[in-house]
Amino acid sequence: MEHSPVTTNPLIIMMINMTVVFIVLIVLMYLIKLIHLVDPTKVKEEPAQAAEDEEPLVAVKSSASTSAPKPEPVDEGISPEIIAAISAAIAACGISGQVKAVHIVNHEGTAWRNSMRNAQCLMRNGRR
Amino acid sequence: MEALNAFSVSLQAVWNDSGFSAFTAGNGIMILVGLVLLYMAFVKEFEPLLLGPIAFGCILANFPNTGFFGEEMNVMKAINFGITNEIFPPLIFLGIGAMTDFSPLLARPSTLLLGAAAQVGVFVALGGAMLVGFNVHEAAAIGIIGGADGPTSIYLSTKLAPHLLGAIAVAAYSYMSLVPMIQPPIMKLMTTQAEREIVMKELRPVTKFERVVFPIVSTIFISLLLPPIAALLGCLMLGNLFRESGVTDRLSDTAQNSLINIVTIFLGTGTGMTMNAESFLRADTLLIIGLGLVAFMGGTAGGLIFGKIMCKLTGGEINPLIGSAGVSAVPMAARVSQLVGMKSKPGNYLLMHAMGPNVAGVIGTAVAAGTMLAMLK
């Protein structure tokens, strides 16, 4: 139902609205903290995530500047053939240098992370 | 002779029914405005997905005798129905929700405060609009431009000041597209080099449980508190739930691709259709565009000031640059924080940290709109 405004004083409207916005978002902030607190999967997922973050850096010293790099043994689930293919693809793009690390990317629910990763790659390559 | 007479009468009838017979200078000016907007959208690539349909809708709206808004139903009237009855903005929010990753916000909930602080621009513009003579409903609709959230601006305008919809929508989307130009000078002016160089700690991992429960809990809380925005916020969170549940990939895909693309065409064209010469060519329009800029700059400054406060309170853990992302132009405002941070210190990646206040800004703007609706409607 439509009714007339409680006040038409700009300052009062501004103060009331700003206060309400802050209160709502502060309550939301505590709700988020509460969700984190009661999260039953927290204990299981956090160590797994931490392990995942540490694990996938696979040292590779193959050269990308040569067309047939010599992949070294890799023991983290990435086969030397894949490393060789990545190095060859990079070399084919005309980028010289070494593949220092290969990182397994977890795509699940990390759109912003992927976006940032892409931005980093583009910046590193001087495209923006 | 009879044939000549019939020919003459027919020609006259064609002329009388044509748009040329009723074409006014105002229509001509508005078609030129539409062409300029088209140029900005397609050549300069300023928000082309939205500004393009808005510009073309503006051109269409200024053809006389089209009968678009007559008594008979037609496609343009149907599109206009979706605008004036607040159907399209919530559907756009459904798609935005499906595209949004709330993880940075969930990992650092305190960034919600930056999203709240950036709403200061909304209320500064509201006060300014009332001071220059707009009534309180019009001022509230103008002020929401500062939230840099197109669908919310349209939603609030149709409820509080439908006659200003065209000007408000154009101002909102224009400023959103100008974020990379408007924000950096303010960011540099309000922060020191040392503050801009702050490297923030990596965010904690967020579990699927948190990502699924958050949209449900926030919808229940905010919709109960502010029912006028239940449609907007509910659709945003439903879209997000499609994304995070992991079992509704088809719905998520539809919401973030097909649906949002279709609705964007309708929303843009319908908004442009409100820009006819009679309602747009007024001094008020220039005032609205000016006040929109004040709102936008105020929002950016508000976020930065609160970012500086949080920086002090946390002993230098927060880079104040992420405060400017509190305006809800997602993800452009966050990318601007990232770029300004990178220029100050190469290798300092702020994007993930800025996404927190950025998505908080979307919620904050919706809350601001809901508060104003609750107070004024």
Side-chain angles (χ1 to χ4, degrees):
Chain A
M1 195 174 70
E2 219 167 296
H3 53 82
S4 58
V6 285
T7 176
T8 52
N9 182 328
L11 200 63
I12 294 175
I13 293 174
M14 286 162 64
M15 295 309 293
I16 293 173
N17 278 278
M18 218 44 219
T19 308
V20 172
V21 170
F22 263 97
I23 289 173
V24 171
L25 294 191
I26 286 171
V27 173
L28 208 56
M29 183 175 85
Y30 282 105
L31 282 174
I32 292 173
K33 288 183 177 177
L34 185 68
I35 294 169
H36 182 58
L37 208 67
V38 300
D39 181 0
T41 64
K42 181 174 54 180
V43 187
K44 290 173 195 165
E45 282 195 18
E46 278 185 354
Q49 182 74 38
E52 183 189 298
D53 286 347
E54 287 165 12
E55 154 235 306
L57 282 174
V58 182
V60 180
K61 291 175 184 167
S62 59
S63 167
S65 56
T66 57
S67 56
K70 280 198 277 181
E72 294 194 352
V74 177
D75 56 359
E76 299 284 349
I78 302 175
S79 69
E81 288 78 14
I82 291 176
I83 304 297
I86 293 170
S87 301
I90 293 170
C93 290
I95 299 166
S96 60
Q98 277 192 330
V99 176
K100 288 182 181 167
V102 176
H103 188 93
I104 299 171
V105 177
N106 174 20
H107 286 284
E108 194 181 323
T110 55
W112 302 129
R113 189 174 291 191
N114 289 335
S115 172
M116 188 178 76
R117 187 178 291 117
N118 291 337
Q120 286 175 3
C121 290
L122 288 169
M123 280 177 175
R124 197 179 299 137
N125 294 338
R127 292 186 193 175
R128 91 172 42 161
Chain B
M1 189 63 189
E2 190 184 332
L4 196 64
N5 196 29
F7 188 69
S8 164
V9 169
S10 301
L11 271 185
Q12 197 171 1
V14 168
W15 174 257
N16 288 340
D17 284 350
S18 76
F20 287 110
S21 66
F23 196 77
T24 63
N27 294 137
I29 292 170
M30 285 311 295
I31 288 174
L32 276 178
V33 169
L35 291 172
V36 170
L37 292 177
L38 269 186
Y39 173 80
M40 284 169 63
F42 295 144
V43 180
K44 295 291 179 184
E45 295 188 21
F46 288 166
E47 290 277 339
L49 299 180
L50 266 156
L51 215 48
I54 289 176
F56 209 81
C58 168
I59 294 171
L60 287 174
N62 286 283
F63 297 146
N65 299 339
T66 52
F68 286 159
F69 301 112
E71 290 191 0
E72 286 178 23
M73 179 54 79
N74 58 60
V75 67
M76 294 306 176
K77 199 170 175 179
I79 290 174
N80 191 53
F81 183 87
I83 300 271
T84 53
N85 291 278
E86 303 124 29
I87 294 169
F88 295 147
L91 291 177
I92 291 277
F93 261 44
L94 188 72
I96 292 173
M99 288 192 278
T100 300
D101 180 4
F102 282 114
S103 300
L105 177 68
L106 297 173
R108 187 176 278 133
S110 59
T111 53
L112 270 165
L113 298 175
L114 295 171
Q119 305 312 313
V120 74
V122 172
F123 303 112
V124 167
L126 181 149
M130 288 185 75
L131 290 176
V132 298
F134 287 101
N135 68 41
V136 65
H137 291 97
E138 293 169 336
I142 294 166
I144 206 74
I145 296 171
D149 189 335
T152 307
S153 300
I154 291 171
Y155 189 78
L156 196 67
S157 315
T158 52
K159 281 182 179 273
L160 295 180
H163 56 288
L164 300 180
L165 175 61
I168 288 172
V170 168
Y173 283 114
S174 302
Y175 292 134
M176 280 168 67
S177 66
L178 293 174
V179 165
M181 280 180 251
I182 296 172
Q183 286 196 320
I186 304 171
M187 293 162 81
K188 285 177 187 163
L189 193 72
M190 297 189 65
T191 53
T192 62
Q193 179 69 20
E195 285 171 336
R196 290 196 293 273
E197 287 180 0
I198 292 173
V199 178
M200 292 178 68
K201 279 185 195 161
E202 198 178 337
L203 296 170
R204 72 167 173 83
V206 175
T207 64
K208 184 178 176 180
F209 177 85
E210 290 173 279
R211 295 200 305 266
V212 169
V213 172
F214 171 70
I216 300 168
V217 169
S218 55
T219 302
I220 294 170
F221 167 61
I222 298 177
S223 299
L224 282 174
L225 187 71
L226 297 165
I229 53 157
L232 266 187
L233 203 92
C235 282
L236 179 77
M237 295 305 176
L238 176 62
N240 191 249
L241 204 53
F242 287 160
R243 170 200 173 87
E244 302 296 357
S245 70
V247 292
T248 50
D249 287 347
R250 282 165 54 195
L251 300 185
S252 173
D253 180 57
T254 301
Q256 61 181 290
N257 292 298
S258 317
L259 179 69
I260 199 168
N261 290 339
I262 291 168
V263 179
T264 298
I265 294 170
F266 291 159
L267 183 78
T269 312
T271 303
M273 295 287 291
T274 64
M275 293 169 64
N276 57 49
E278 296 79 41
S279 62
F280 200 84
L281 286 181
R282 298 188 310 182
D284 285 357
T285 303
L286 288 178
L287 272 176
I288 290 168
I289 290 170
L291 286 163
L293 183 62
V294 170
F296 207 83
M297 292 166 74
T300 303
L304 286 167
I305 290 168
F306 210 85
K308 285 169 81 84
I309 293 170
M310 283 180 73
C311 177
K312 293 270 183 236
L313 292 178
T314 57
E317 280 188 12
I318 301 281
N319 188 320
L321 288 179
I322 67 168
S324 65
V327 298
S328 50
V330 180
M332 207 184 292
R335 289 171 69 93
V336 170
S337 298
Q338 154 83 4
L339 290 173
V340 175
M342 281 282 288
K343 276 186 187 166
S344 298
K345 181 172 184 163
N348 188 8
Y349 299 107
L350 293 174
L351 185 67
M352 281 290 282
H353 305 288
M355 282 316 301
N358 209 188
V359 294
V362 177
I363 301 171
T365 307
V367 170
T371 312
M372 290 196 282
L373 279 172
M375 275 186 76
L376 305 174
K377 187 92 170 110

